[in-house]
Amino acid sequence: MPPPASAPTVPPDAPAALLEAQGLTKHFPLAGGWLARDHGVLHAVDDVSFAILSGETLGLVGESGCGKSTLGRMLLRLIEPTGGRVLFEGRDILALDARGLREQRRVMQIIFQDPYGALDPRLSVEAIVREPLDVHGVARQEAQRRVAEALDLVGLSRRYLGRFPHEFSGGQRQRIGIARALALRPRFIVCDEPVSALDVSVQAQIVNLLQDLQAELRLTYLFIAHDLAVVKHIADRVAVMYLGKIAEIAAKRALYANPLHPYTQALIAAVPVLRPADRAHGRARRRLVGGEIPSALHPPPGCRFHTRCPHVMPVCREREPRLAEPEPGQFVACHLYPGS
Amino acid sequence: MPGEAAVLDAAPVRGRSPAAETLGRLLHHRLFVSGLVLFGVILAAAVLAPVIAPADPTRIAMRQKFLPPGAGHLFGTDNLGRSLWSRVIWGAQLSVLMGLAVVGLNAVFGTAVGALAGYYRRLDNVLMRINDALMAFPAILLAIGITAVLGPSTGDVILALAIVYIPRTARIVRSSVIVVREMEYVQAARACGAGDWRILRRHILPNSMAPLIVQLSFLFAYAVLTEATLSFLGLGAVPPTPTWGNIMAEGRQYMVEAPWIIAIPGVALMVTVLGLNMLGDGLRDVLDPRLRVQQ
Amino acid sequence: MTLLEVRNVTTAFATGQGEIRAVEDVSFSLDAGEFLGIVGESGSGKSVTALTVMGLLPRPPARVAAGAVLFAGQDLVALPEARLRTVRGPGIAMVFQEPMTSLNPVFTIGEQVIETLRVHERLSPRAQRARAVEMLQKVGIPSPERRLSDYPHQLSGGQRQRVMLAIALACRPRLLIADEPTTALDVTIQAQILDLLMDLRDELGMAILMITHNMGVIAETADRVLVMYAGRVVESAPVDRLFERPAHPYTRGLLDCVPSLAADRPRLVAIPGLQPDPAHRPPGCPYAPRCPIAIAECSRAVPPLDPVAPGHAAACIRADRAA
């Protein structure tokens, strides 16, 4: 096995990283426990390293089961990693005790995908948005002020404080969830597919809101999505994951204009284009990659994409490629490029 | 953004809480309301027993034995001339108190076991295997066994029934805790630094209660029925304390000449159990619509 | 040749708060071999339209309050259930969004494909098996003979959707209704299924009615498009025309708010507000409260679906200026 990629995967002249993941790994043992046999290990995330710069949005894309959501939750320790390190401004989050972790969570928050499941149906809007403040012992008057401030930020009237989640539409619920995440005035937010469950017209409202909030509050985002077009719109840099590994990570412009990894190329080719005239062209391009995504229980040896890759070579089946930097600031894990 | 707010503006500012919504729907559910009325009659009789049945249910008047129901004695008298009205009403009080005690004890312990097993995966296996072992005993036999060891008394019957049904309650709570534990709002609470106790108390338990409430209404009915069975067999409260079970046990010998002695407590028992079951079905329809049989 | 004609259909649901019209006065037609896309957001009535055509809505609470669904000349709305069943399968078949729940987990793939055949055609067991293998092959399942004895849980989501297609195609329907067939799938798998649908259409000559919320999917597949909003058809056009010169402000809004790989926009153009609640639709044009070019007259009467160009119609009194 190659050593963990030590490259911080950012351009050399970039400002300091706010958050850095080093060799992050999560294996879920599939066991029935006592009296039951082990059923193997799910390799959700395998030895992933990257950095997020202060004030940027790092997009994280990939198909279902690629580990993007697990990765996002490990950064907040909502899922305990099996191995690796997470550094927030140089401090190792995985080494924090319970109290230290609670303090750390003031600055790191998360927004969820499902606007229905993410809000406790029994609590009023006020109770939902105030919960983080209660947990951190913010005094009552101050908490009330901050709840109102958070609602203002997301564009919800304060008159809804006494309302309950079931009275709101999906887009409005998502605003409540964002207000909850903002209540503690965090600096870093993991956005876990925040617009995937919304209708397109509402999706645009939420994407715009997230962009406005970022500019106003100088937030740093990890934006997880399966929709490449949304990520292209909101991200500064983009990481592409496949079966628990980062396949490619680069500045948005480079990644979309000149994708290096065959999987990135396939993903981009698969996105339907809004120009009916280009149909035939698009079809021809995506013919290149067929097949199904292998199970993360038994990831293919060598390069995990080799079972579907149109450029597969003998070495791909044997040796796992490392992240190399064939273009400045563009990292790719593929044997087609020197250094992998 | 302004447009989105405008759509909501038409609605009142203070919303109806989910609890208020549920109550509203329950009160429109015919089965639930019928059950509530039936059980309400029994409950009222139990609460008002000292007022509506002032005659001592244990006072013997041999000259008035075997009086049929009528003007003097509404439900007639038994073989010892005791007022059946008083005996059945006081029996209702005992049944209701006993049911409440069983349900209360069972809910506390069953919820504790179920919540711990559902929330902490480490405890799950151990607790659930103990549960399985307990569930393997037929409930009524276990209850008979416990009262046989501890001696027949109302308190022992309560304890026995509460213990016997803990595994079922624990399983129900556990399975809904497991579902709620994975909800994203629980993750959100954890992400803002909330501890286990806060998460359990504020998010998981309140959202896991629906199936428990349904289960408890059925358990109430079952407890009343089982208590009647045990005291019918002479394993419950000791005579002359009136319980529906021992009234029926005594009345059994005079079934031909004085059928009301066995019939009236029997009807009371049926009304209670029917009412509680209808209540439970109504609760299930409203609280847990997934369980409703699809037509 | 017109295969399906939906005429002024209104479908209503009885609810606690009275009757709600999920689909209102919808008309369209579909030629043999044509690929028609219906696009709309959740609550627009697109799925109810498809289920009305199939006669699959539970009645009550649903009822077709007005209109007719003419398939090859006969009105499906008036047809008794027993006769309707003979139309489903060889006439119209349907695939759904959820490939995880559309297959019965306790039967093998083979049994489920053969099941549809057995209902509609008298074939020997050997011929049934051969047809099942042929169908699985057509939908791109590798080594179909071996797959016949597999259970649904042994297949991936994309393969299950292929099996659903095989079942739908087993009786060689003249019309296939696909309700969000790729929404639950990953993009690379979605692309495969869409390509497969196009190939099957060309090969078998069947017509396809596809329901989707995804403008990109429409652009990739459809010949003609209906845009639905709040239970009504607001625009109908050939696909090229719709994307080049959308006439209805809602269609333009939808196209503007979809992030695109091709175009670089600093900001998405969001449509303000929400789709109206079906119990409280505004009088007049249902889009007027959110429309950037609405005038007072828009709120007076529901605008009719009027032609703005040959083959292109829009339900907007300001469509002239809009186009």
Side-chain angles (χ1 to χ4, degrees):
Chain A
M1 212 162 102
S6 55
T9 68
V10 290
D13 53 346
L18 179 73
L19 183 141
E20 217 175 304
Q22 295 178 348
L24 216 48
T25 299
K26 180 69 194 180
H27 291 171
F28 290 104
L30 293 188
W34 210 44
L35 294 183
R37 277 211 338 258
D38 270 13
H39 291 284
V41 174
L42 183 86
H43 298 251
V45 175
D46 235 345
D47 188 20
V48 163
S49 302
F50 62 90
I52 304 178
L53 308 181
S54 191
E56 79 166 343
T57 298
L58 177 67
L60 182 59
V61 295
E63 297 178 280
S64 53
C66 73
K68 55 189 190 299
S69 208
T70 306
L71 182 57
R73 282 165 203 228
M74 280 199 289
L75 299 183
L76 304 184
R77 266 181 81 180
L78 286 175
I79 293 177
E80 291 290 337
T82 312
R85 298 209 299 169
V86 178
L87 304 178
F88 191 92
E89 297 186 308
R91 190 165 354 119
D92 188 351
I93 288 180
L94 302 183
L96 294 174
D97 60 6
R99 171 182 280 192
L101 183 62
R102 201 168 76 185
E103 280 312 299
Q104 185 63 39
R105 281 177 173 161
R106 278 173 176 265
V107 294
M108 313 170 76
Q109 279 297 315
I110 180 165
I111 302 168
F112 295 95
Q113 167 177 5
D114 176 11
Y116 293 87
L119 307 178
D120 188 334
R122 291 177 182 271
L123 300 185
S124 67
V125 170
E126 181 177 17
I128 289 169
V129 179
R130 213 186 48 208
E131 169 145 50
L133 301 165
D134 291 346
V135 167
H136 287 274
V138 176
R140 203 182 152 165
Q141 277 199 327
E142 170 71 5
Q144 268 172 355
R145 212 173 52 71
R146 286 228 226 157
V147 169
E149 174 192 290
L151 286 188
D152 287 349
L153 280 170
V154 300
L156 272 180
S157 163
R158 294 179 194 183
R159 299 185 304 126
Y160 302 142
L161 282 171
R163 304 282 287 273
F164 290 85
H166 67 97
E167 300 172 275
F168 293 90
S169 69
Q172 289 167 324
R173 283 156 173 263
Q174 205 53 289
R175 286 175 200 265
I176 299 170
I178 295 172
R180 169 176 60 196
L182 294 176
L184 289 169
R185 299 180 179 151
R187 292 160 57 204
F188 172 64
I189 299 182
V190 172
C191 308
D192 190 358
E193 306 234 21
V195 297
S196 306
L198 304 177
D199 272 324
V200 274
S201 68
V202 179
Q203 172 180 312
Q205 295 171 2
I206 299 296
V207 167
N208 287 341
L209 173 66
L210 287 172
Q211 284 183 310
D212 292 345
L213 290 172
Q214 179 168 43
E216 205 176 323
L217 308 173
R218 296 203 202 145
L219 297 169
T220 303
Y221 291 147
L222 175 69
F223 192 95
I224 303 172
H226 64 266
D227 183 336
L228 273 88
V230 172
V231 168
K232 182 178 183 219
H233 182 80
I234 198 168
D236 300 305
R237 286 187 309 128
V238 178
V240 178
M241 277 187 87
Y242 186 76
L243 277 178
K245 288 269 179 191
I246 288 187
E248 184 164 0
I249 178 167
K252 163 173 77 176
R253 209 162 292 281
L255 189 111
Y256 284 90
N258 179 31
L260 296 180
H261 199 288
Y263 178 61
T264 315
Q265 295 166 0
L267 264 185
I268 291 174
V271 177
V273 185
L274 289 175
R275 272 194 303 250
D278 289 354
R279 246 182 229 182
H281 179 63
R283 271 189 93 175
R285 268 192 311 159
R286 47 175 198 262
R287 278 282 146 99
L288 291 174
V289 173
E292 304 274 336
I293 307 164
S295 153
L297 265 180
H298 309 285
C303 172
R304 296 186 177 188
F305 189 58
H306 83 248
T307 54
R308 301 171 75 192
C309 183
H311 310 292
V312 61
M313 305 174 287
V315 62
C316 303
R317 299 195 177 90
E318 282 149 29
R319 202 164 60 73
E320 203 168 310
R322 268 177 297 173
L323 275 179
E325 192 179 1
E327 303 282 337
Q330 187 163 12
F331 298 81
V332 59
C334 174
H335 289 301
L336 287 174
Y337 305 95
S340 285
Chain B
M1 264 185 272
E4 186 167 354
V7 176
L8 260 186
D9 276 352
V13 169
R14 181 144 292 271
R16 281 181 87 191
S17 75
E21 292 260 314
T22 307
L23 195 66
R25 265 184 299 152
L26 275 174
L27 292 178
H28 281 97
H29 195 283
R30 241 175 260 161
L31 198 63
F32 176 82
V33 172
S34 318
L36 194 66
V37 168
L38 286 182
F39 183 61
V41 169
I42 303 293
L43 201 64
V47 172
L48 300 175
V51 183
I52 59 175
D56 183 351
T58 58
R59 200 178 62 102
I60 296 171
M62 292 307 281
R63 266 183 294 172
Q64 299 189 354
K65 66 179 181 183
F66 294 131
L67 289 182
H73 292 276
L74 200 57
F75 284 176
T77 58
D78 66 3
N79 53 320
L80 299 175
R82 293 174 294 196
S83 159
L84 210 56
W85 169 258
S86 277
R87 288 183 71 73
V88 168
I89 298 288
W90 287 96
Q93 190 178 58
L94 189 119
S95 290
V96 167
L97 283 176
M98 202 242 14
L100 279 177
V102 169
V103 163
L105 276 176
N106 180 274
V108 170
F109 289 102
T111 304
V113 174
L116 289 177
Y119 191 71
Y120 295 103
R121 291 169 204 222
R122 283 170 200 287
L123 293 175
D124 192 20
N125 251 309
V126 177
L127 287 175
M128 282 303 111
R129 292 303 82 77
I130 296 174
N131 236 357
D132 289 347
L134 263 173
M135 263 168 118
F137 286 98
I140 189 129
L141 281 187
L142 201 60
I144 289 174
I146 293 175
T147 46
V149 172
L150 298 177
S153 85
T154 315
D156 295 340
V157 171
I158 290 171
L159 203 63
L161 287 178
I163 291 173
V164 163
Y165 287 103
I166 283 175
R168 279 156 217 261
T169 308
R171 264 203 179 271
I172 284 166
V173 171
R174 169 183 172 269
S175 58
S176 58
V177 165
I178 287 175
V179 172
V180 177
R181 182 184 67 190
E182 301 302 325
M183 298 300 288
E184 287 190 332
Y185 55 79
V186 172
Q187 298 278 313
R190 192 165 290 138
C192 72
D196 286 349
W197 173 238
R198 184 188 172 91
I199 288 173
L200 263 171
R201 184 173 49 86
R202 193 169 166 80
H203 297 290
I204 294 188
L205 285 177
N207 283 295
S208 315
M209 283 300 111
L212 175 68
I213 291 169
V214 174
Q215 156 79 0
L216 290 183
S217 66
F218 292 124
L219 176 62
F220 200 130
Y222 212 84
V224 170
L225 205 57
T226 311
E227 187 276 335
T229 310
L230 288 176
S231 55
F232 185 83
L233 297 173
L235 292 166
V238 192
T241 311
T243 74
W244 291 343
N246 65 28
I247 299 172
M248 284 195 281
E250 286 174 28
R252 195 176 43 156
Q253 306 163 46
Y254 315 105
M255 229 156 84
V256 181
E257 55 269 49
W260 58 88
I261 303 180
I262 194 164
I264 289 171
V267 168
L269 184 63
M270 195 196 78
V271 167
T272 311
V273 173
L274 187 68
L276 281 166
N277 280 337
M278 284 160 76
L279 211 71
D281 280 334
L283 281 168
R284 189 191 52 202
D285 284 357
V286 172
L287 294 179
D288 216 351
R290 280 162 310 157
L291 291 177
R292 200 177 323 178
V293 180
Q294 296 287 320
Q295 283 151 2
Chain C
M1 189 198 97
T2 303
L3 180 66
L4 173 76
E5 195 184 347
V6 172
R7 266 193 215 153
N8 307 101
V9 161
T10 295
T11 304
F13 287 85
T15 72
Q17 284 90 48
E19 205 169 58
I20 281 174
R21 276 165 297 175
V23 166
E24 260 190 291
D25 195 21
V26 163
S27 300
F28 62 90
S29 68
L30 183 58
D31 287 342
E34 193 184 14
F35 198 131
L36 177 69
I38 300 187
V39 68
E41 297 182 276
S42 51
S44 63
K46 56 190 193 302
S47 285
V48 175
T49 303
L51 292 170
T52 304
V53 172
M54 273 306 266
L56 281 180
L57 287 169
R59 311 180 206 188
R63 83 189 167 94
V64 180
V69 175
L70 300 173
F71 180 73
Q74 61 183 337
D75 185 2
L76 301 185
V77 173
L79 227 50
E81 177 65 26
R83 291 277 305 283
L84 206 53
R85 250 179 263 146
T86 63
V87 176
R88 291 187 206 129
I92 313 178
M94 188 157 178
V95 286
F96 297 91
Q97 173 177 349
E98 253 329 310
M100 300 303 159
T101 53
S102 301
L103 289 168
N104 188 334
V106 302
F107 292 108
T108 64
I109 302 307
E111 283 164 341
Q112 298 190 55
V113 178
I114 289 169
E115 170 78 22
T116 16
L117 284 173
R118 200 175 302 154
V119 173
H120 294 283
E121 286 180 53
R122 287 184 170 277
L123 289 174
S124 68
R126 184 187 294 266
Q128 285 174 348
R129 207 182 135 83
R131 175 82 74 87
V133 170
E134 180 200 331
M135 283 302 149
L136 290 178
Q137 203 152 29
K138 259 202 179 95
V139 298
I141 298 269
S143 48
E145 287 92 350
R146 285 218 326 264
R147 284 298 186 189
L148 280 183
S149 51
D150 277 359
Y151 286 89
H153 72 92
Q154 291 166 289
L155 305 180
S156 68
Q159 283 178 322
R160 277 184 242 201
Q161 199 56 291
R162 286 175 195 269
V163 171
M164 285 308 299
L165 268 173
I167 292 173
L169 300 178
C171 294
R172 306 177 201 267
R174 295 158 74 192
L175 169 63
L176 176 73
I177 300 181
D179 188 359
E180 302 266 11
T182 60
T183 303
L185 305 175
D186 281 314
V187 269
T188 56
I189 310 299
Q190 161 173 295
Q192 295 170 11
I193 298 288
L194 292 180
D195 288 347
L196 174 66
L197 272 176
M198 304 286 281
D199 292 343
L200 289 170
R201 193 265 301 250
D202 294 343
E203 198 185 325
L204 307 174
M206 65 185 172
I208 296 182
L209 175 62
M210 181 153 82
I211 314 294
T212 180
H213 69 279
N214 187 330
M215 276 290 191
V217 167
I218 289 286
E220 291 279 350
T221 54
D223 301 329
R224 216 150 47 78
V225 190
L226 301 182
V227 182
M228 286 191 73
Y229 184 78
R232 290 176 181 276
V233 175
V234 295
E235 184 158 9
S236 148
V239 69
D240 296 298
R241 170 97 189 171
L242 188 92
F243 282 84
E244 271 161 34
R245 306 195 59 180
H248 199 285
Y250 175 63
T251 313
R252 261 181 293 142
L254 266 187
L255 287 172
D256 280 343
C257 65
V258 182
S260 153
L261 276 188
D264 252 326
R265 299 199 190 103
R267 212 174 153 73
L268 297 176
V269 186
I271 304 177
L274 297 169
Q275 205 169 187
D277 172 357
H280 306 100
R281 289 205 182 113
C285 172
Y287 188 60
R290 301 173 77 184
C291 181
I293 57 164
I295 50 174
E297 208 187 321
C298 293
S299 308
R300 274 188 211 125
V302 177
L305 191 63
D306 280 339
V308 294
H312 184 182
C316 177
I317 53 172
R318 310 209 60 201
D320 294 346
R321 260 160 287 182

